[in-house]
Amino acid sequence: MMKSELIEILAREQNHLAYKDVELAVRCILEQMSSALASGERIEIRGFGSFSLHFRPPRVGRNPKTGESVALSGKHVPHFKPGKELRDRVNQAYQDELARIGQNTDDEDNEDVQASRAAASVS
Amino acid sequence: MALTKADMAEHLFEVLGLNKREAKDVVEMFFEEIRVALEEGEQVKLSGFGNFDLREKKQRPGRNPKTGEEIPITARRVVTFRPGQKLKSRVEAYVGPER
């Protein structure tokens, strides 16, 4: 899903809002999140996750072309930790998917299927 | 102080003039629709911000940290976030807390 599709879905569900307003709202939310992180502020969304900064200490890197070493200063990188609800929903959907695939492949061994076939052949 | 959904709704109210109810709903749905897409196994790409990707992890041995008992960590799907170039360079410039 891309930003434009997210805007379309939200506009459809909030049909009392103008498309333009939904588009601006999404941009506004993302800009506020980016600028919070850029000023070192954490973001905490219950059930979704939290964003914070991780510090990467200074290190000596190498110019891959010349092999020359270059001193790289320390920097911060954005980090996301998924919240419990997001983790659980994503994983539950995956487990359901796995169970569906599993069921299709071992239908022949499935006791319920065999039992119902036996019942059908008796009657 | 961390940025929360309430702060975002307040900002939409102030900047875009949405009423408080609408602002709260839009923020709530913004995160809910991202969760729905990820739940459906779909990657979410927010240009300028970053991508939420999905990774499948195989089963691996684990341990109960309290009892030391070995229990396998079952195969699962997890969400990862890859910040976009624009966000990375904005954040890189942050020098750290003032001391």
Side-chain angles (χ1 to χ4, degrees):
Chain A
M1 179 171 76
M2 309 226 295
K3 199 198 292 179
S4 55
E5 298 169 83
L6 175 61
I7 292 167
E8 272 169 39
I9 296 171
L10 298 185
R12 226 179 295 138
E13 287 178 18
Q14 297 280 306
N15 55 15
H16 55 284
L17 286 181
Y19 183 88
K20 196 80 209 150
D21 282 339
V22 175
E23 196 177 11
L24 284 171
V26 167
R27 284 179 207 285
C28 198
I29 292 169
L30 289 170
E31 174 50 34
Q32 198 184 11
M33 290 172 75
S34 299
S35 79
L37 290 172
S39 61
E41 192 184 1
R42 287 171 56 84
I43 305 170
E44 287 178 9
I45 311 296
R46 182 161 307 168
F48 185 80
S50 59
F51 296 85
S52 59
L53 299 188
H54 279 186
F55 183 65
R56 298 276 176 263
R59 63 188 179 93
V60 177
R62 235 167 242 288
N63 180 328
K65 269 188 196 148
T66 64
E68 217 179 321
S69 39
V70 235
L72 297 171
S73 49
K75 63 173 183 181
H76 286 89
V77 293
H79 176 77
F80 174 66
K81 186 174 185 291
K84 186 170 177 359
E85 185 191 338
L86 178 60
R87 269 196 323 245
D88 289 350
R89 281 173 60 177
V90 164
N91 190 44
Q92 189 54 55
Y94 180 57
Q95 300 304 329
D96 294 349
E97 220 173 273
L98 289 181
R100 255 195 320 275
I101 297 164
Q103 222 157 39
N104 290 341
T105 53
D106 42 59
D107 250 4
E108 291 306 312
D109 310 326
N110 189 311
E111 285 175 23
D112 292 343
V113 172
Q114 287 180 356
S116 64
R117 279 193 193 138
S121 64
V122 166
S123 62
Chain B
M1 257 303 287
L3 180 68
T4 63
K5 284 192 292 189
D7 299 325
M8 295 178 191
E10 181 65 23
H11 192 61
L12 292 184
F13 164 72
E14 283 167 11
V15 175
L16 294 186
L18 300 189
N19 71 44
K20 296 219 171 181
R21 177 84 240 165
E22 291 165 344
K24 189 166 175 282
D25 287 351
V26 168
V27 171
E28 189 55 55
M29 280 185 21
F30 172 85
F31 291 105
E32 175 56 15
E33 290 308 328
I34 296 174
R35 276 191 297 245
V36 168
L38 293 169
E39 199 173 12
E40 287 170 354
E42 206 186 330
Q43 177 198 39
V44 175
K45 294 166 88 164
L46 303 173
S47 62
F49 187 73
N51 298 351
F52 293 93
D53 296 331
L54 294 162
R55 295 175 70 104
E56 266 110 58
K57 302 280 200 178
K58 291 202 186 105
Q59 177 173 316
R60 62 190 170 89
R63 215 174 260 284
N64 180 328
K66 272 191 194 140
T67 65
E69 188 195 354
E70 266 197 61
I71 15 167
I73 298 170
T74 53
R76 63 192 59 218
R77 181 181 280 160
V78 298
V79 177
T80 60
F81 176 67
R82 280 179 61 87
Q85 198 48 56
K86 196 171 155 200
L87 179 62
K88 272 201 274 189
S89 39
R90 284 180 72 175
V91 160
E92 229 170 87
Y94 173 67
V95 286
E98 283 175 45
R99 284 157 222 246

